[in-house]
Amino acid sequence: MRKIFFILLTLLAFAKGNSQILDPVKWTTKIEKKSDTNYILIFNGIIDKDWHMYSQFTPDGGPLPMEVIFKNQKGNFNLVGKAKEGKTITEFNDVFGVNETFFAIKAQIQQEITLTNPKISNIEVALNYQVCKDACINLEKKFTFTIPSIPISKIEEKATKIDTIAAKTVISKPEANKKINAPLLKAEVIPSKSATQKGLWSIFFIAFLSGFAALLTPCVFPMIPMTVSFFTKQSKTKAKGIRNAIIYGISIILIYVVLGLLVTWIFGADALNALSTNVWFNIIFFIILIVFAASFLGAFEIMLPNSWANKVDSQADRGGIIGILFMALALAIVSFSCTGPIVGTLLVQAASKGGIAPIIGMLGFSSALALPFMLFAMFPGWLHSLPKSGGWLNTVKVVLGFLELALAFKFLSNADLVLQLHFLEREVFLAIWIAVFGTLALYLFGKITLPHDSPMTHISVGRLLLGLLVLTFTVYLIPGLWGAPLKLINAFPPPMEYSESPLGFGSSGSNTPTAVLPDGAKLGPHQIVVFDDYDKGLAYANAVNKPIMLDFTGFSCVNCRKMENNVWSDKKILPILSNEVVLISLYVDDKRDLPVNEQFISKTTGSTIETVGDKWADFMISKYKTNTQPLYVLTDLNGNSLNEVTPTISYVGVDEYESWLKAGISNFKK
């Protein structure tokens, strides 16, 4: 009886020790016969709540995309196109600067094949993918499809899976704005409604603010009193004047919403989303924004043909609702030189998010544009409180021009990052922004004038305050040249590692010359000495008698970068990592092949360990019973964990991380 009790306790302990080995996607497969030689392989995945899995269409430079690998294709079958996917979710990743695509709740993959070997009986396929929650795991699943021997259209098949939990990398995914892409298949996937609505609301809000900015330009602002006076004077009653003004405002909204509908209908949400990560798209849009900026700064005016305005204006005399509609269209055409650059920028930005985002963007923009016309028609007395038209309107236009100019370089940076040309590295990007916003500050202080500026005898309080705000932002950017993280604009400049000196301008080697680094070490984030080989790091730790901090990380790990940028950089954490521990970073997505004599079959997972990343992933799983990153472990020189209560820690805040580090170091010194 005691022996049985002991066995049960052992089994419970083993189960508890492996409770962190996660497998959040449950797969089933089926094969459908399309013809005597063509079959469709279908993978259906059910994803655990709050987890998501990256698509094969996630762009380069972001998290690792899904791979569909056919093991026995040669001489047996051909693929018909690329594997198709069911509904996915797209959101912008501000760490990697890409629009990543992933599945939520359900996933479906379909691949059509054409048999070339009539004797083949099985199709062997592997899916390599990342699945994420607060942490993400790179998994490999193997499936075997049996070719039907009888001509039926569908054969259900339980998935034959060889679960190879090769936890190669993990990427954190904070909840952010999510947009539904148009489906390639009819698979039913219900993404998070709250996340989708949050994304659309943010687009609406940004577009709404942009509409108010357009309202304060010299092409639009003077039209408010003119248009409202027209409706109040031409209408027989006050009620009719208010009604006509409301119809006028609604007409403005309809015109811009129809424009959003046309963009979505002509190009399609998926095509625009794909374009947003295309090199040529980013270069072309960079050029367009430069042209828009030059126009706003006064070099020239972008205008639609005068004949268009004349024809539309003649139709406005017809009266009634049709006449009012044409009046609204005339406003859109006449004000195009001011609103066109803003509308163009909004459309591309919103369209790149997919779905109905362009429509929502135009709804927000036009609502802000139309609202004053309706309100001032209802309350004509308010017109007296409006500031008079003057040079300040051109100032608004010029400020928008500088903002367009700064934004243009974000698109050029995207293209440079994809091509890895290193023409626009972080220092150059920041230098350009410092020059742009510094010049804007000088303009606001009256030190620079542009072609359409009015003579200025003094600076208004509002202009002075705006100038001080821009100057403050410019000064904030300057330390970025020396490696400051610049968390306020983290989504705009290239990442820290994409720079002339990853440690900051002029600092490579100033504190820790690479010539005196220990064997196998390099300078990591914030000039911390770091090893990427366990044995060399262990040897150095023995030599200096310091505890070891194992950092299980990944090259494409979002949370790893966030921990490094936000937690490791903290003044309470950085001295500890720099002076009191030996840091060993083990990359579980390192694709370098191990020498053949070092490859092996994992005793824990049964996987074939072929790469350096596989080796560190298996080390993490077998010793620490988890497959998620980032993962941090403090050990002594014999590899024993120094934190008894919390042996490992992951994505946490500064205070918790500091307490955990100090507790482990204290135990090492005992």
Side-chain angles (χ1 to χ4, degrees), residues 438-627:
T439 306
L440 174 56
L442 290 175
Y443 171 79
L444 291 170
F445 291 139
K447 302 300 181 182
I448 296 174
T449 57
L450 291 171
H452 300 295
D453 286 332
S454 303
M456 184 170 54
T457 58
H458 66 280
I459 299 176
S460 67
V461 174
R463 183 165 177 159
L464 176 64
L465 292 176
L466 181 60
L468 289 172
L469 179 63
V470 173
L471 180 60
T472 302
F473 179 70
T474 305
V475 174
Y476 169 78
L477 293 176
I478 294 173
L481 297 173
W482 281 266
L486 304 180
K487 297 175 185 179
L488 289 178
I489 59 163
N490 192 44
F492 287 94
M496 194 76 74
E497 59 269 20
Y498 194 78
S499 61
E500 293 179 10
S501 171
L503 304 176
F505 181 75
S507 64
S508 61
S510 60
N511 294 332
T512 311
T514 55
V516 299
L517 286 173
D519 179 42
K522 61 182 181 181
L523 290 175
H526 317 296
Q527 301 190 54
I528 302 170
V529 176
V530 59
F531 294 83
D532 58 10
D533 182 276
Y534 180 79
D535 294 329
K536 291 181 178 179
L538 177 61
Y540 180 72
N542 275 281
V544 297
N545 193 34
K546 289 182 180 180
I548 295 168
M549 191 182 87
L550 296 179
D551 164 34
F552 291 98
T553 184
F555 293 113
S556 57
C557 175
V558 176
N559 253 15
C560 303
R561 300 296 86 77
K562 289 191 177 229
M563 284 291 293
E564 292 162 7
N565 292 339
N566 302 331
V567 177
W568 287 15
S569 63
D570 189 89
K571 61 183 180 181
K572 294 186 290 186
I573 303 299
L574 187 55
I576 298 175
L577 298 181
S578 299
N579 304 316
E580 299 187 42
V581 300
V582 173
L583 177 61
I584 303 177
S585 293
L586 305 177
Y587 288 84
V588 299
D589 56 356
D590 191 331
K591 298 298 184 182
R592 291 177 296 163
D593 290 329
L594 288 169
V596 176
N597 62 337
E598 293 183 19
Q599 297 180 11
F600 61 96
I601 303 296
S602 170
K603 294 180 181 179
T604 304
T605 65
S607 307
T608 301
I609 306 303
E610 299 175 336
T611 68
V612 174
D614 292 341
K615 175 182 176 181
W616 301 134
D618 184 67
F619 175 41
M620 176 181 58
I621 292 170
S622 59
K623 188 169 181 64
Y624 299 109
K625 310 305 178 189
T626 185
N627 57 346

Side-chain angles (χ1 to χ4, degrees), residues 70 379 414 650:
F70 294 86
F379 308 100
N414 289 343
S650 186

